[in-house]
Amino acid sequence: MSKDTTEQPPYFNIDPNQALQELGQPVNTEGFSRIAQSCAQGREDLASRGLNEDGGKSLRLFSTWEITRYLIPVATPHFRRVLRSHPDLPQGRSETEGGAKWFTLDEVLRLRAHFAAEGAKNKEYLPYRPEGLPAKLVAVANFKGGVGKTSTAAHLAMSAALDGYKVLVIDLDSQGSMTSIFGGKVDDEWGTVFPLLARHYASHQRQANQGRMDRGETPIPLDETLTDALKIKTQDVIQSTHWPNIDLIGAQLNLYWSEFQIPVWRMQGRGWKLWDALTDVLEEDGVLDQYDVIFLDTPPALGYLTINGLAASDILLVPLGASFLEFDSTGRFFDMLHSTFQSIEDGENIAARALGREEMSFEWDAVRAVITRYDGAQQGELASLMQAYLGQTLSPHRQDFTALIGQAGEQVSGIYEADYRDFNRETYVRGRQTFDATYAAFKKLLLGSWRRDEIEAQEADHGEA
């Protein structure tokens, strides 16, 4: 008779006394502080991996091969001929005698502008951008964490910058992951969007107070926070990054205070349209004319900051994995979006109908769910089913998982910040293909929405004429 040598599962025969020895002491409130300090130290050490000797981030150089393959659509020999015939253009630098030339992104942007002015007219040296139209705002949102939300937003911002667009990234997540990726430094909530939201509310209350005084009523005094916020412009909280054409409004933990402060303001000022706060401030400060694309990275929750980001956006992207749980969670997210924005519309339109005013409605140029971290061998069938249910709402492009994600993540950076010499050229080409395809799918939405606005503006001009 054979002896059963099957190993027992690890949850059998656990010795309570041994478990007690390994348990450690109970944790009190102060224990959370110690854990947080340890994480902060670790975060600082890990983040420093992507920093230069001065303690800041710097963007790598781009080779002639990369420029002519990915950034400026010209043949490499022609690119070199143009540089030789125009010594006033950036000439790059070589690390070895006769070696490949390397350029900063600033220099690439100058070269792109030269080819746009002097090169063949049938090539797209500069990306499509209608004149006279404002920037497009793009929110990346889902209330389920771990779906690649921040990574997707960061890589789209970098892709757009490499494509030649002027980009602003707004971090609405108090965890500040996007801020870390772009090397942002935020001391407190006054370096975030918080004072901009406070300013919007303070402006509302100041106007409401004028109405109260006109009616002989006592005005509601503005506290020190609101008085200070009235002095702050969006430009005051925008910081430059190591990317020459990406700016940032960062976030840090204190930004979460907004989720508690906003409902207090809402109770004090019933007529305050909190969902318009971010949109109104960006427009009032001229920010929509200073940038081409503005990316909003939202918290993994449908709170007041997320509502502001979603209400401000023209395009909504919802990343999710190809799994049942993420599909189910994303469906509930859309259900909450419906109930939240329908509730706002219903509340506003009751008053609008009573006063004979035009009713309000929210509208987005495009809403797309995007499958991230995709493994075609394991998830192909489920992804196809998700496509069948969601139709056009689910982008047909799936963002494959690539080892480059993990390696770039260890350096607190993006795929486009990785030097292909750290891998090899073929691995780099394969690794960035999925992100290039993700950007291509997004760019179709961007250009289509701009083109629709452009046609509508032209028709309106003709109608007036």
Side-chain angles (χ1 to χ4, degrees):
M1 183 176 180
S2 62
K3 184 178 180 180
D4 186 4
T5 58
T6 303
E7 184 178 351
Q8 289 185 329
Y11 48 81
F12 282 162
N13 302 319
I14 295 176
D15 182 359
N17 290 316
Q18 180 66 29
L20 174 60
Q21 290 181 10
E22 297 176 8
L23 181 63
Q25 296 301 310
V27 178
N28 57 19
T29 305
E30 184 60 30
F32 290 137
S33 176
R34 291 192 296 271
I35 297 170
Q37 290 173 11
S38 298
C39 290
Q41 182 61 56
R43 178 183 178 278
E44 184 176 334
D45 292 343
L46 290 171
S48 67
R49 293 184 180 186
L51 303 183
N52 56 29
E53 295 177 355
D54 299 326
K57 278 201 164 189
S58 58
L59 187 60
R60 67 177 180 87
L61 303 178
F62 296 83
S63 70
T64 299
W65 168 76
E66 284 183 281
I67 293 170
T68 55
R69 176 171 181 134
Y70 294 111
L71 304 179
I72 302 177
V74 295
T76 301
H78 178 62
F79 179 80
R80 291 177 175 146
R81 285 195 300 271
V82 170
L83 294 190
R84 286 196 297 268
S85 61
H86 293 81
D88 56 316
L89 289 176
Q91 298 296 309
R93 59 205 49 75
S94 298
E95 297 179 350
T96 59
E97 184 71 26
K101 293 289 187 69
W102 295 79
F103 300 78
T104 67
L105 184 54
D106 256 330
E107 292 172 332
V108 173
L109 296 174
R110 286 179 56 193
L111 292 169
R112 189 198 297 271
H114 172 81
F115 279 97
E118 305 293 337
K121 301 305 179 185
N122 62 340
K123 289 190 176 182
E124 184 186 89
Y125 297 109
L126 295 177
Y128 173 77
R129 173 69 163 96
E131 292 185 9
L133 293 180
K136 286 292 182 182
L137 285 88
V138 184
V140 184
N142 197 331
F143 64 23
K144 182 171 177 55
V147 295
K149 178 177 59 62
T150 298
S151 175
T152 298
H155 283 102
L156 286 175
M158 294 176 189
S159 298
L162 290 173
D163 202 17
Y165 288 118
K166 178 69 173 173
V167 176
L168 174 65
V169 175
I170 302 179
D171 194 349
L172 297 175
D173 188 348
S174 59
Q175 297 177 85
S177 299
M178 182 70 83
T179 302
S180 295
I181 290 174
F182 287 104
K185 304 294 184 184
V186 183
D187 294 329
D188 54 34
E189 68 272 17
W190 289 91
T192 71
V193 297
F194 170 75
L196 306 182
L197 305 181
R199 182 184 116 200
H200 190 270
Y201 171 71
S203 297
H204 164 79
Q205 279 294 62
R206 192 163 59 175
Q207 185 176 6
N209 278 340
Q210 185 60 54
R212 292 185 182 97
M213 289 187 291
D214 291 343
R215 296 189 299 271
E217 300 174 2
T218 304
I220 298 175
L222 301 182
D223 61 26
E224 184 179 357
T225 295
L226 297 176
T227 302
D228 290 343
L230 285 168
K231 307 169 188 175
I232 295 182
K233 298 287 188 181
T234 306
Q235 289 78 3
D236 296 328
V237 296
I238 291 176
Q239 53 184 295
S240 58
T241 73
H242 57 295
W243 286 72
N245 52 346
I246 298 180
D247 290 338
L248 169 73
I249 298 179
Q252 58 102 254
L253 191 59
N254 287 1
L255 176 59
Y256 194 71
W257 185 49
S258 302
E259 298 291 355
F260 300 98
Q261 186 60 56
I262 288 176
V264 174
W265 292 338
R266 181 68 169 153
M267 291 292 292
Q268 293 173 345
R270 293 287 187 175
W272 177 47
K273 296 176 173 54
L274 66 92
W275 48 87
D276 285 340
L278 188 57
T279 311
D280 290 347
V281 169
L282 294 177
E283 184 174 5
E284 182 180 335
D285 292 346
V287 175
L288 302 185
D289 298 322
Q290 296 172 1
Y291 296 91
D292 301 315
V293 190
I294 299 175
F295 289 95
L296 307 163
D297 186 38
T298 64
L302 193 55
Y304 293 108
L305 291 169
T306 300
I307 289 173
N308 259 280
L310 295 177
S313 65
D314 302 294
I315 297 173
L316 170 59
L317 301 178
V318 182
L320 75 159
S323 74
F324 169 77
L325 292 179
E326 293 189 33
F327 182 51
D328 179 56
S329 174
T330 299
R332 298 177 193 277
F333 176 66
F334 279 113
D335 189 37
M336 286 189 68
L337 291 184
H338 169 259
S339 61
T340 298
F341 287 102
Q342 185 70 62
S343 175
I344 294 173
E345 289 177 358
D346 289 346
E348 288 296 299
N349 290 334
I350 289 173
R353 286 190 290 270
L355 297 171
R357 296 175 181 170
E358 182 179 355
E359 296 186 16
M360 72 161 293
S361 64
F362 293 97
E363 185 175 81
W364 291 264
D365 291 336
V367 174
R368 293 290 186 276
V370 182
I371 292 179
T372 59
R373 300 171 292 111
Y374 178 64
D375 181 351
Q378 302 291 328
Q379 300 172 325
E381 182 179 359
L382 182 55
S384 296
L385 287 171
M386 291 166 61
Q387 191 77 62
Y389 283 113
L390 288 174
Q392 186 184 36
T393 300
L394 181 62
S395 172
H397 165 67
R398 286 93 162 88
Q399 184 173 288
D400 296 329
F401 178 82
T402 168
L404 284 180
I405 296 176
Q407 295 180 57
E410 291 176 2
Q411 301 299 323
V412 198
S413 59
I415 300 302
Y416 295 111
E417 296 178 320
D419 191 326
Y420 65 83
R421 293 172 295 178
D422 294 337
F423 319 97
N424 63 60
R425 190 177 292 188
E426 291 71 24
T427 301
Y428 177 78
V429 169
R430 289 195 303 271
R432 66 171 285 168
Q433 279 177 344
T434 186
F435 291 93
D436 289 345
T438 299
Y439 176 63
F442 162 72
K443 189 177 178 181
K444 287 182 181 179
L445 301 177
L446 178 68
L447 268 57
S449 61
W450 257 331
R451 182 56 181 151
R452 181 161 58 195
D453 292 348
E454 190 177 30
I455 292 173
E456 290 176 355
Q458 291 170 351
E459 291 176 347
D461 290 341
H462 290 154
E464 294 176 359

